[in-house]
Amino acid sequence: MTLHQNLIAGEWVGTDGVANINPSNTNDVIGDYARASADDAKAAIAAAKAAFPAWSRSGILERHAILKKTADEILARKDELGRLLSREEGKTLAEGIGETVRAGQIFEFFAGEALRLAGEVLPSVRPNIGVEITREPVGVVGIITPWNFPIAIPAWKVAPALCYGNTVVFKPAELVPGCSWAIVDILHRAGLPKGVLNLVMGKGSVVGQAMLDSPDVQAITFTGSVGTGKRVATASVEHNRKFQLEMGGKNPFVVLDDADLSVAVEAAVNSAFFSTGQRCTASSRIIVTEGIHDRFVAAMGERIKGLVVDDALKAGTHIGPVVDQSQLNQDTDYIAIGKNEGAKLAFGGELISRDTPGFYLQPALFTEATNEMRISREEIFGPVAAVIRVKDYDEALSVANDTPFGLSSGIATTSLKHATHFKRNAEAGMVMVNLPTAGVDFHVPFGGRKGSSYGSREQGKYAAEFYTTVKTAYTPTA
Ligand SMILES: NC(=O)C1=CN([C@@H]2O[C@H](COP(=O)(O)OP(=O)(O)OC[C@H]3O[C@@H](n4cnc5c(N)ncnc54)[C@H](OP(=O)(O)O)[C@@H]3O)[C@@H](O)[C@H]2O)C=CC1
Ligand SMILES: O=C(O)CCC(=O)C(=O)O
């Protein structure tokens, strides 16, 4: 089997490979991917440091052309790359292709942003002095990504980093190296100079840790668990570097008495179970007012029974497998915790077998949950959701906000008054009205509050805040 190597200083290197396994069929080995060492990570950082002076001064047309070429190739290969994504992560083929298109659009967006770099010229408060405000690249950016969005998250970190003139050391999750390798290969062939983008696939505790420990990494952007996010934060403060964290969520989805029942059920099912619930924007807390509660739960039950859980690549599959055994154990542990806490497992939650050996779990819906239970407070990251019954809108809002997290939030209502009030008062970075809590646009800010996120927003033009540093220059004008 061909070994997919790491890219360091413009050369493909590495001899030691790790098998990338399909969670829908554990007999299916997608390929071998090199495992970088801490020394490889150090070499990648050195290469990025050496490449920075030239790339930071490169022309905007060169950056535009490379990012646009990458976008075009990703979009042209959307079916093949989408299939690779579904095969390595387990989301359905439609979701895999959709995410690949999103990655292409992200590169296209930042190709455009390269041509729109701008500053400001202001008068000084002193006579005959001009002030220029410009944005400069930060330096070597370390990118650490999780397994649940194998192409979109790498795209929304790598594209702006390069667009604004930074050089990159990129460590994808070891579980899903395939899409990351593919986009690095595309960028490399699109003409990136040696050392501008370095790929170091391997273990977080080794490769990621070497990045955290390096004084030559000026910024780290991270998406993943709260625990690792805290390590990134501590190490970054130690090195006085910029950092940006996107961590967990425990996103509420509120259903009010006046909701359109079918809109509410579709949005709740999508929020809780699509992409196998493995989204930081997923909702696993469905907060329902008492007038609609029983009808909503019954309709959810019918909808869940119609969901096909099977091989991600099969036509007709709605929910693919869980990503691996360890995540499956986490999901089933939380199902046991929910039962022990006194919530009622109303639907699903069983391990199921299919034609191929994979990590298949029937989506689980708890009812009679309270917001104090662990299943309502901790991120499960699987197809497991709980319904919490509340009296009215005021109680729903208060329960929705009673969480250590604050990434996304949603409401199903036909009341403009309640929708408007919720948009203003939900303690979350993103609010969805009559829409799922997950599934965001690629050109607008993404991020949260409280325990979910740290630092400036990702995506859209707001990404410039992280990937650039502001300079204010004063010059006599006369
Ligand atoms: N908010 C989100 O989008 C996500 C949240 N999660 C949450 O996290 C839980 C665990 O998932 P998991 O993948 O283990 O999350 P991690 O936080 O461990 O992984 C995220 C990334 O960090 C890397 N990493 C791990 N340890 C270190 C370290 N010491 N220094 C630097 N980088 C490191 C990982 O590498 P590697 O995996 O290769 O070892 C991976 O690339 C999930 O169950 C879920 O609750 C997970 C993914 C995304
Ligand atoms: O909901 C989305 O579209 C994005 C979710 C995401 O970025 C994540 O789960 O890590």
Side-chain angles (χ1 to χ4, degrees):
M1 195 164 276
T2 327
L3 175 67
H4 298 78
Q5 293 170 298
N6 283 309
L7 185 70
I8 300 177
E11 306 296 331
W12 293 107
V13 294
T15 47
D16 180 18
V18 179
N20 184 3
I21 306 287
N22 177 353
S24 296
N25 176 4
T26 53
N27 292 329
D28 176 26
V29 179
I30 298 158
D32 279 343
Y33 290 80
R35 179 177 265 178
S37 63
D39 283 344
D40 292 329
K42 286 180 193 155
I45 294 165
K49 187 179 176 184
F52 179 71
W55 182 249
S56 62
R57 289 187 200 106
S58 59
I60 56 172
L61 208 50
E62 181 185 0
R63 295 185 211 166
H64 166 82
I66 291 169
L67 295 171
K68 178 73 172 72
K69 213 168 162 189
T70 301
D72 291 348
E73 182 168 340
I74 291 173
L75 292 172
R77 291 172 56 194
K78 68 180 169 51
D79 293 338
E80 171 216 335
L81 293 174
R83 192 178 169 80
L84 169 65
L85 195 167
S86 297
R87 206 170 148 212
E88 70 175 348
E89 198 270 350
K91 61 183 68 170
T92 65
L93 196 50
E95 290 170 330
I97 293 171
E99 188 184 326
T100 305
V101 169
R102 180 158 147 189
Q105 290 166 330
I106 290 165
F107 275 100
E108 209 159 46
F109 178 87
F110 284 104
E113 285 300 278
L115 300 180
R116 286 189 285 268
L117 291 174
E120 282 182 273
V121 177
L122 300 180
S124 167
V125 292
R126 289 172 275 165
N128 300 325
I129 290 181
V131 180
E132 284 168 45
I133 302 165
T134 50
R135 286 185 176 273
E136 295 184 351
V138 177
V140 174
V141 174
I143 294 180
I144 302 178
T145 58
W147 47 262
N148 64 327
F149 277 78
I151 198 163
I153 294 180
W156 81 52
K157 293 181 190 291
V158 171
L162 297 175
C163 163
Y164 296 114
N166 301 283
T167 54
V168 171
V169 178
F170 169 33
K171 195 218 91 64
E174 200 174 28
L175 212 47
V176 293
C179 291
S180 293
W181 188 90
I183 59 172
V184 170
D185 172 53
I186 295 170
L187 278 156
H188 179 58
R189 287 187 289 98
L192 267 186
K194 283 179 194 279
V196 170
L197 172 63
N198 302 275
L199 174 69
V200 278
M201 300 174 289
K203 276 185 175 306
S205 54
V206 177
V207 178
Q209 193 62 43
M211 291 161 69
L212 302 195
D213 293 341
S214 171
D216 291 328
V217 176
Q218 275 86 30
I220 291 195
T221 174
F222 167 84
T223 303
S225 65
V226 173
T228 310
K230 285 193 172 151
R231 297 176 83 103
V232 173
T234 308
S236 297
V237 169
E238 187 77 19
H239 290 290
N240 199 23
R241 73 161 73 95
K242 262 184 135 168
F243 63 100
Q244 177 184 57
L245 310 175
E246 194 53 61
M247 301 172 291
K250 197 68 197 173
N251 310 295
F253 185 74
V254 169
V255 180
L256 297 186
D257 286 353
D258 61 30
D260 176 316
L261 187 61
S262 61
V263 167
V265 168
E266 276 317 301
V269 162
N270 179 319
S271 304
F273 304 130
F274 282 17
S275 303
T276 323
Q278 297 172 155
R279 299 185 282 193
C280 55
T281 45
S283 173
S284 53
R285 283 194 306 143
I286 307 174
I287 300 159
V288 186
T289 49
E290 56 195 8
I292 197 171
H293 178 276
D294 293 355
R295 281 183 293 133
F296 174 80
V297 168
M300 282 291 280
E302 285 308 307
R303 185 69 177 88
I304 291 169
K305 278 186 219 151
L307 292 174
V308 177
V309 182
D310 207 333
D311 188 323
L313 299 178
K314 259 195 195 168
T317 296
H318 300 120
I319 313 278
V322 171
V323 73
D324 71 352
Q325 186 63 53
S326 134
Q327 185 62 50
L328 185 63
N329 294 345
Q330 179 164 310
D331 298 345
T332 51
D333 284 353
Y334 272 107
I335 291 171
I337 289 167
K339 286 183 194 163
N340 287 337
E341 286 179 313
K344 179 179 159 210
L345 183 58
F347 306 100
E350 311 88 33
L351 293 176
I352 44 179
S353 40
R354 290 293 176 255
D355 295 345
T356 48
F359 307 109
Y360 296 108
L361 177 65
Q362 197 71 50
L365 186 70
F366 281 102
T367 55
E368 311 307 334
T370 69
N371 202 42
E372 286 69 45
M373 293 176 176
R374 282 183 65 194
I375 54 165
S376 303
R377 302 209 76 78
E378 297 168 17
E379 186 174 52
I380 300 172
F381 224 61
V384 182
V387 174
I388 300 171
R389 189 198 299 256
V390 291
K391 187 161 52 61
D392 55 16
Y393 171 73
D394 289 341
E395 189 184 352
L397 177 65
S398 147
V399 170
N401 286 338
D402 179 10
T403 166
F405 295 105
L407 185 58
S408 184
S409 59
I411 187 165
T413 179
T414 52
S415 153
L416 182 60
K417 181 176 149 215
H418 284 139
T420 307
H421 191 271
F422 189 78
K423 277 194 279 182
R424 288 212 188 111
N425 293 286
E427 292 169 5
M430 295 174 292
V431 185
M432 312 290 185
V433 177
N434 292 322
L435 290 168
T437 53
V440 299
D441 283 6
F442 66 87
H443 67 306
V444 291
F446 174 85
R449 302 179 182 181
K450 301 201 273 190
S452 289
S453 307
Y454 185 91
S456 52
R457 289 288 184 263
E458 299 198 79
Q459 303 203 58
K461 64 180 181 179
Y462 285 68
E465 204 50 52
F466 181 73
Y467 294 98
T468 63
T469 178
V470 171
K471 180 174 277 174
T472 313
Y474 298 77
T475 321
T477 52

